[in-house]
Amino acid sequence: MSRLQEVAEQLGEVFEGYFSELHELRVAVEAGLARGDEIDRLVLDFVGPRLMDPAATVVGAGFIGGPGSDSGESIHFAWWLGPLDDNPLLGTTTEVTRLDLAAREYADYLRDFTTMEWYSVPESTGDRHITGPYVDHLCTCDYMLTLTSPVGSPALGVVGLDILVRQIEPGILRLLRSIKGSAALLSSTGRIIASTSENWDLGAGLQDHGGIPVPGTSLMVAAIPN
Protein backbone atom coordinates (compact mmCIF):
# COMPACT_ATOMS: atom_id res chain seq x y z
CA MET A 1 0.00 0.00 0.00
CA SER A 2 1.36 3.43 -0.96
CA ARG A 3 1.66 6.24 1.56
CA LEU A 4 -1.11 8.06 -0.32
CA GLN A 5 -3.42 5.10 0.22
CA GLU A 6 -2.42 4.85 3.88
CA VAL A 7 -3.28 8.51 4.44
CA ALA A 8 -6.63 8.05 2.70
CA GLU A 9 -7.37 5.12 5.03
CA GLN A 10 -6.41 7.17 8.10
CA LEU A 11 -8.58 10.08 7.01
CA GLY A 12 -11.40 7.64 6.48
CA GLU A 13 -11.09 6.59 10.11
CA VAL A 14 -11.24 10.24 11.20
CA PHE A 15 -14.47 10.89 9.35
CA GLU A 16 -15.92 7.53 10.38
CA GLY A 17 -15.71 8.80 13.97
CA TYR A 18 -17.94 11.75 13.06
CA PHE A 19 -20.35 9.53 11.14
CA SER A 20 -20.58 7.17 14.11
CA GLU A 21 -21.74 10.09 16.26
CA LEU A 22 -24.19 11.04 13.53
CA HIS A 23 -25.54 7.50 13.40
CA GLU A 24 -26.17 7.54 17.14
CA LEU A 25 -28.09 10.81 16.79
CA ARG A 26 -30.08 9.42 13.89
CA VAL A 27 -31.09 6.32 15.87
CA ALA A 28 -32.10 8.47 18.84
CA VAL A 29 -34.21 10.83 16.70
CA GLU A 30 -35.92 8.01 14.81
CA ALA A 31 -36.81 6.31 18.09
CA GLY A 32 -38.00 9.59 19.58
CA LEU A 33 -40.22 10.39 16.61
CA ALA A 34 -41.71 6.90 16.77
CA ARG A 35 -42.52 7.36 20.48
CA GLY A 36 -43.84 10.87 20.01
CA ASP A 37 -41.15 12.38 22.23
CA GLU A 38 -40.55 16.13 22.45
CA ILE A 39 -37.91 16.16 19.77
CA ASP A 40 -36.22 19.44 20.67
CA ARG A 41 -35.42 18.26 24.19
CA LEU A 42 -34.26 14.88 22.90
CA VAL A 43 -31.85 16.46 20.41
CA LEU A 44 -30.53 18.99 22.93
CA ASP A 45 -29.89 16.27 25.51
CA PHE A 46 -27.86 14.37 22.91
CA VAL A 47 -25.85 17.17 21.30
CA GLY A 48 -25.48 19.55 24.26
CA PRO A 49 -22.76 17.67 26.17
CA ARG A 50 -20.87 16.96 22.95
CA LEU A 51 -20.89 20.61 21.88
CA MET A 52 -19.66 21.67 25.33
CA ASP A 53 -16.67 19.32 25.21
CA PRO A 54 -13.57 21.57 25.17
CA ALA A 55 -11.94 19.23 22.66
CA ALA A 56 -14.94 19.25 20.31
CA THR A 57 -14.39 20.08 16.66
CA VAL A 58 -18.14 19.95 16.00
CA VAL A 59 -19.57 23.48 16.33
CA GLY A 60 -23.20 22.74 15.48
CA ALA A 61 -25.48 19.72 15.46
CA GLY A 62 -29.10 18.69 15.42
CA PHE A 63 -32.15 17.55 13.48
CA ILE A 64 -33.84 19.34 10.60
CA GLY A 65 -37.30 18.01 9.87
CA GLY A 66 -39.00 18.41 6.55
CA PRO A 67 -42.62 17.96 5.46
CA GLY A 68 -44.05 14.83 7.04
CA SER A 69 -41.83 14.86 10.12
CA ASP A 70 -44.88 15.28 12.37
CA SER A 71 -43.47 18.50 13.73
CA GLY A 72 -46.54 20.43 12.64
CA GLU A 73 -44.37 22.69 10.48
CA SER A 74 -43.05 22.63 6.93
CA ILE A 75 -39.56 23.12 8.37
CA HIS A 76 -38.36 22.36 11.87
CA PHE A 77 -34.86 23.31 13.04
CA ALA A 78 -33.82 21.54 16.21
CA TRP A 79 -30.24 22.77 15.81
CA TRP A 80 -27.77 23.95 18.42
CA LEU A 81 -24.42 25.72 18.34
CA GLY A 82 -21.54 25.19 20.73
CA PRO A 83 -19.60 28.00 22.43
CA LEU A 84 -18.28 30.54 19.95
CA ASP A 85 -15.28 32.84 20.25
CA ASP A 86 -15.80 36.37 18.91
CA ASN A 87 -18.34 35.26 16.32
CA PRO A 88 -19.26 38.06 13.85
CA LEU A 89 -22.96 37.23 14.19
CA LEU A 90 -23.35 36.07 17.78
CA GLY A 91 -20.35 37.54 19.55
CA THR A 92 -18.71 35.36 22.18
CA THR A 93 -20.86 32.66 23.74
CA THR A 94 -20.00 30.25 26.52
CA GLU A 95 -23.02 27.94 26.43
CA VAL A 96 -24.96 25.91 23.91
CA THR A 97 -27.37 28.14 21.99
CA ARG A 98 -30.21 27.29 19.63
CA LEU A 99 -30.09 28.43 16.01
CA ASP A 100 -32.90 30.99 15.79
CA LEU A 101 -33.95 31.38 12.17
CA ALA A 102 -36.45 34.10 13.09
CA ALA A 103 -33.50 36.32 14.01
CA ARG A 104 -31.84 35.70 10.63
CA GLU A 105 -33.63 37.99 8.17
CA TYR A 106 -31.23 36.89 5.43
CA ALA A 107 -32.14 33.19 5.94
CA ASP A 108 -35.18 33.35 3.65
CA TYR A 109 -33.42 30.96 1.29
CA LEU A 110 -33.98 28.21 3.85
CA ARG A 111 -37.69 28.26 3.09
CA ASP A 112 -36.78 25.99 0.19
CA PHE A 113 -34.09 24.15 2.14
CA THR A 114 -35.09 20.77 0.69
CA THR A 115 -33.23 21.69 -2.52
CA MET A 116 -29.97 22.37 -0.68
CA GLU A 117 -27.20 19.81 -1.00
CA TRP A 118 -26.92 18.96 2.72
CA TYR A 119 -30.62 17.99 2.70
CA SER A 120 -31.44 16.88 -0.83
CA VAL A 121 -28.58 14.40 -1.29
CA PRO A 122 -29.18 12.25 1.83
CA GLU A 123 -32.94 12.52 1.28
CA SER A 124 -32.71 11.24 -2.30
CA THR A 125 -29.95 8.65 -1.82
CA GLY A 126 -30.87 7.40 1.65
CA ASP A 127 -27.17 7.64 2.49
CA ARG A 128 -24.88 9.90 4.50
CA HIS A 129 -23.24 12.86 2.82
CA ILE A 130 -20.55 15.54 3.25
CA THR A 131 -21.28 19.07 2.01
CA GLY A 132 -18.49 21.60 1.64
CA PRO A 133 -16.15 23.19 2.11
CA TYR A 134 -18.36 26.28 2.04
CA VAL A 135 -18.54 29.56 3.96
CA ASP A 136 -21.33 29.30 6.52
CA HIS A 137 -23.08 32.67 6.36
CA LEU A 138 -25.83 31.54 8.73
CA CYS A 139 -23.78 30.90 11.87
CA THR A 140 -19.99 31.07 11.79
CA CYS A 141 -18.97 33.07 8.69
CA ASP A 142 -16.16 30.54 8.33
CA TYR A 143 -15.38 27.51 6.18
CA MET A 144 -17.45 24.51 7.18
CA LEU A 145 -18.04 20.87 6.38
CA THR A 146 -21.57 19.64 7.07
CA LEU A 147 -22.14 15.92 7.56
CA THR A 148 -25.75 14.80 7.21
CA SER A 149 -27.70 11.55 7.28
CA PRO A 150 -31.38 10.88 6.49
CA VAL A 151 -33.87 10.21 9.27
CA GLY A 152 -36.49 7.58 8.47
CA SER A 153 -37.29 5.88 5.18
CA PRO A 154 -38.64 7.73 3.28
CA ALA A 155 -36.72 10.58 4.86
CA LEU A 156 -38.54 12.74 7.38
CA GLY A 157 -35.55 15.03 7.65
CA VAL A 158 -31.84 14.85 8.33
CA VAL A 159 -29.51 14.86 11.29
CA GLY A 160 -26.27 16.70 10.90
CA LEU A 161 -22.96 17.90 12.28
CA ASP A 162 -21.13 21.12 11.39
CA ILE A 163 -17.33 20.87 11.51
CA LEU A 164 -15.20 23.99 11.36
CA VAL A 165 -12.47 23.34 8.78
CA ARG A 166 -9.81 25.35 10.61
CA GLN A 167 -10.29 23.22 13.71
CA ILE A 168 -9.65 19.93 11.93
CA GLU A 169 -7.05 21.31 9.52
CA PRO A 170 -4.00 20.75 11.79
CA GLY A 171 -4.72 17.02 12.13
CA ILE A 172 -5.35 16.67 8.41
CA LEU A 173 -2.15 18.52 7.55
CA ARG A 174 -0.08 16.23 9.78
CA LEU A 175 -1.22 13.32 7.65
CA LEU A 176 -0.88 15.13 4.31
CA ARG A 177 2.68 16.22 5.11
CA SER A 178 3.74 12.60 5.32
CA ILE A 179 3.08 12.32 1.58
CA LYS A 180 5.91 13.26 -0.77
CA GLY A 181 5.13 16.29 -2.89
CA SER A 182 2.16 18.61 -2.60
CA ALA A 183 -0.92 16.92 -1.19
CA ALA A 184 -4.52 17.94 -0.55
CA LEU A 185 -7.79 16.65 0.85
CA LEU A 186 -10.52 17.37 -1.69
CA SER A 187 -14.28 17.33 -1.82
CA SER A 188 -16.05 15.16 -4.41
CA THR A 189 -16.04 18.13 -6.78
CA GLY A 190 -12.32 18.80 -6.33
CA ARG A 191 -12.56 21.70 -3.90
CA ILE A 192 -9.68 22.00 -1.45
CA ILE A 193 -10.40 21.29 2.22
CA ALA A 194 -6.75 21.33 3.33
CA SER A 195 -3.44 21.25 1.47
CA THR A 196 0.30 21.39 1.96
CA SER A 197 0.86 23.72 -1.00
CA GLU A 198 0.91 27.51 -0.69
CA ASN A 199 -0.59 27.63 -4.18
CA TRP A 200 -3.70 25.61 -3.26
CA ASP A 201 -6.15 27.77 -1.34
CA LEU A 202 -8.94 26.52 0.88
CA GLY A 203 -12.18 26.30 -1.08
CA ALA A 204 -10.51 26.63 -4.48
CA GLY A 205 -11.01 23.99 -7.15
CA LEU A 206 -8.08 21.78 -8.07
CA GLN A 207 -8.24 20.98 -11.76
CA ASP A 208 -7.28 17.57 -13.18
CA HIS A 209 -6.63 16.35 -9.66
CA GLY A 210 -7.28 12.61 -9.77
CA GLY A 211 -6.66 11.15 -6.33
CA ILE A 212 -7.38 8.29 -3.96
CA PRO A 213 -10.89 7.98 -2.46
CA VAL A 214 -11.19 8.39 1.32
CA PRO A 215 -13.06 5.24 2.45
CA GLY A 216 -16.61 5.79 3.65
CA THR A 217 -16.76 9.33 2.25
CA SER A 218 -17.02 11.21 -1.03
CA LEU A 219 -13.65 12.86 -0.36
CA MET A 220 -10.32 12.26 -2.10
CA VAL A 221 -6.64 12.67 -1.36
CA ALA A 222 -4.56 14.01 -4.22
CA ALA A 223 -0.80 14.49 -4.54
CA ILE A 224 1.54 15.99 -7.11
CA PRO A 225 5.27 15.10 -6.85
CA ASN A 226 7.65 18.05 -6.44
Side-chain angles (χ1 to χ4, degrees):
M1 180 183 295
S2 69
R3 183 55 190 158
L4 188 63
Q5 291 171 316
E6 289 176 348
V7 168
E9 293 281 348
Q10 290 170 317
L11 287 169
E13 293 173 2
V14 170
F15 283 95
E16 189 58 39
Y18 291 114
F19 278 122
S20 294
E21 288 278 318
L22 197 57
H23 177 72
E24 290 182 30
L25 177 56
R26 172 183 178 174
V27 169
V29 169
E30 288 177 341
L33 289 173
R35 292 190 302 263
D37 291 350
E38 203 284 297
I39 203 66
D40 291 351
R41 171 51 57 183
L42 184 152
V43 174
L44 177 57
D45 288 346
F46 185 95
V47 305
R50 291 163 170 82
L51 292 173
M52 288 299 296
D53 183 347
T57 53
V58 174
V59 297
F63 165 67
I64 300 173
S69 63
D70 295 328
S71 63
E73 306 169 71
S74 59
I75 177 174
H76 184 80
F77 265 72
W79 194 271
W80 277 266
L81 305 172
L84 300 170
D85 184 21
D86 197 24
N87 181 270
L89 297 175
L90 301 172
T92 296
T93 61
T94 58
E95 301 293 335
V96 173
T97 56
R98 185 170 186 170
L99 174 59
D100 182 9
L101 291 183
R104 302 286 199 277
E105 295 180 358
Y106 51 85
D108 286 350
Y109 69 94
L110 285 174
R111 291 176 182 174
D112 192 23
F113 73 100
T114 57
T115 64
M116 303 185 76
E117 180 183 346
W118 50 261
Y119 189 95
S120 63
V121 174
E123 180 193 39
S124 61
T125 64
D127 202 1
R128 62 197 197 181
H129 183 68
I130 298 176
T131 301
Y134 67 95
V135 177
D136 174 23
H137 294 291
L138 192 62
C139 300
T140 65
C141 295
D142 209 334
Y143 273 101
M144 192 78 68
L145 294 177
T146 296
L147 281 58
T148 46
S149 180
V151 171
S153 181
L156 302 175
V158 300
V159 289
L161 306 174
D162 277 341
I163 303 171
L164 207 55
V165 172
R166 60 180 169 84
Q167 289 187 341
I168 63 171
E169 185 179 40
I172 294 174
L173 287 177
R174 280 193 292 272
L175 291 173
L176 294 179
R177 288 181 180 129
S178 68
I179 300 170
K180 292 183 178 180
S182 298
L185 176 63
L186 308 175
S187 71
S188 60
T189 57
R191 296 189 65 201
I192 297 168
I193 298 169
S195 88
T196 61
S197 172
E198 295 180 356
N199 299 319
W200 294 350
D201 296 326
L202 171 59
L206 188 62
Q207 301 299 319
D208 302 322
H209 51 76
I212 300 292
V214 175
T217 78
S218 56
L219 310 180
M220 294 174 286
V221 180
I224 297 177
N226 290 333

